[in-house]
Amino acid sequence: MITFKQIDALYWIAELGSFEAAANKLNMSQSAISKRIQELEDTFDVEIFDRSKRNARLTEKGGELLDYARDLLNSRDQLLERVSAREVLVRRFRLGVTELTALTWLPALVEALRQMYPKVQIEPSVELSSELFRKLESDQLDVVIVPDVYSDPRFHSTPLQCVENAWMCAPDLIPDADPISLETLASYTVLTQGSQSGTGMIYERWLAANNVQMPRTLTSHNLLVQAGLALSGIGVSYLPVACLSHLIEQGTLRALVTEPALPDIQYVALHRVDRQYGLNQEVAQLAQACCNFSRLLF
């Protein structure tokens, strides 16, 4: 039975031109590499190298065997790469995120994935949570990172961290009298993200649970537009504290103290359960890596 050690010896002797050079390359003695070639010759009952020549010159049969040896070594290397190297898990990874994610830690997440999986082509999609979930459902995305508002056994959910939001407005819109009740807020125009947004859906349910109705609302699916309207004094909006902290420090936005306070928004990473087996296992592994990075970068 032939071994890859024997095949390696044949390849490097032919490649480097001598038994001595091949022995140095493979960190072994010249007698050991000669033994491997002798074993190959005994197995096939042919002479592989012409020993009448000073340099290691292949016989006709030796050259034919070398061609097969190259194919075997290439196949071995490809097998080892595909099975063990995470760098080649998949060629294409479709990642869906919300606007908040895209504006904050998506660049760091993409860079981390590229460092670990340099051959993977990352295809980001920035959408509302409802659209991201629809695309995940129809297998148009591999992983989505959204607020924890979807509970479905078809998808595996990995909890990430929470986003702290606060009611915000222009400093002179509301008298400086904290804390402010939700009923008082309801007398102003409220800028919302709407039910197509995961955050908007969670806060609509929360307001309903607190028996609060907002009769005057303006809906925007764009976080930057929502912040811009609040800065312009159009109304009050729920906005991410960390993302807009510089505007609060500058005094161009005021974070209101309300009673009760807004609950934090739990974010999760979702991917399909049926991605865990067979050919889909590669996507599941990359999805898990994405979740792990998200925990660190969120």
Side-chain angles (χ1 to χ4, degrees), residues 19-253:
F19 281 62
E20 182 181 2
N24 291 334
K25 171 70 177 180
L26 297 174
N27 296 314
M28 57 191 304
S29 66
Q30 190 169 337
S31 60
I33 204 167
S34 296
K35 181 180 179 183
R36 289 182 181 177
I37 297 302
Q38 185 63 56
E39 290 169 348
L40 276 177
E41 291 177 330
D42 291 342
T43 298
F44 292 104
D45 194 23
V46 296
E47 189 174 73
I48 296 175
F49 287 96
D50 185 354
R51 288 172 173 78
S52 66
K53 308 297 181 181
R54 182 173 180 179
N55 293 330
R57 182 175 298 179
L58 290 164
T59 64
E60 182 178 352
K61 281 295 183 182
E64 184 179 353
L65 182 58
L66 178 62
D67 289 337
Y68 287 111
R70 287 197 178 101
D71 291 340
L72 283 171
L73 292 175
N74 285 335
S75 297
R76 178 196 65 181
D77 292 343
Q78 290 175 14
L79 173 63
L80 291 173
E81 185 181 46
R82 290 298 300 174
V83 171
S84 64
R86 57 193 176 186
E87 289 87 350
V88 292
L89 280 175
V90 292
R91 298 294 181 188
R92 182 168 171 245
F93 183 60
R94 303 164 301 173
L95 174 63
V97 299
T98 63
E99 185 184 13
L100 176 60
T101 302
L103 289 171
T104 52
W105 50 267
L106 179 62
L109 173 61
V110 170
E111 178 61 24
L113 288 173
R114 282 177 175 165
Q115 288 291 327
M116 198 168 189
Y117 304 95
K119 295 185 180 180
V120 171
Q121 180 181 349
I122 301 172
E123 298 180 0
S125 179
V126 182
E127 307 272 3
L128 291 168
S129 297
S130 58
E131 181 64 11
L132 292 175
F133 187 78
R134 184 194 67 78
K135 287 185 175 181
L136 182 66
E137 193 174 34
S138 60
D139 203 22
Q140 294 176 268
L141 292 172
D142 298 311
V143 172
V144 300
I145 298 175
V146 294
D148 187 15
V149 72
Y150 303 104
S151 179
D152 192 315
R154 296 174 298 167
F155 305 101
H156 179 78
S157 176
T158 301
L160 304 177
Q161 293 188 30
C162 294
V163 171
E164 178 189 1
N165 290 290
W167 293 103
M168 298 187 195
C169 65
D172 57 354
L173 181 67
I174 299 177
D176 189 4
D178 293 329
I180 298 170
S181 68
L182 296 180
E183 288 74 15
T184 300
L185 282 183
S187 64
Y188 294 87
T189 298
V190 176
L191 312 170
T192 74
Q193 295 179 15
S195 58
Q196 298 301 305
S197 157
T199 297
M201 190 184 306
I202 290 171
Y203 285 153
E204 283 185 3
R205 295 174 181 174
W206 178 76
L207 289 169
N210 282 277
N211 298 314
V212 176
Q213 294 184 350
M214 301 293 185
R216 291 188 295 165
T217 60
L218 287 178
T219 299
S220 171
H221 298 320
N222 187 302
L223 179 62
L224 291 179
V225 170
Q226 195 178 350
L229 292 173
L231 284 165
S232 302
I234 301 298
V236 186
S237 184
Y238 44 79
L239 295 167
V241 174
C243 187
L244 300 176
S245 59
H246 63 292
L247 296 179
I248 298 172
E249 292 170 0
Q250 292 171 8
T252 53
L253 264 183

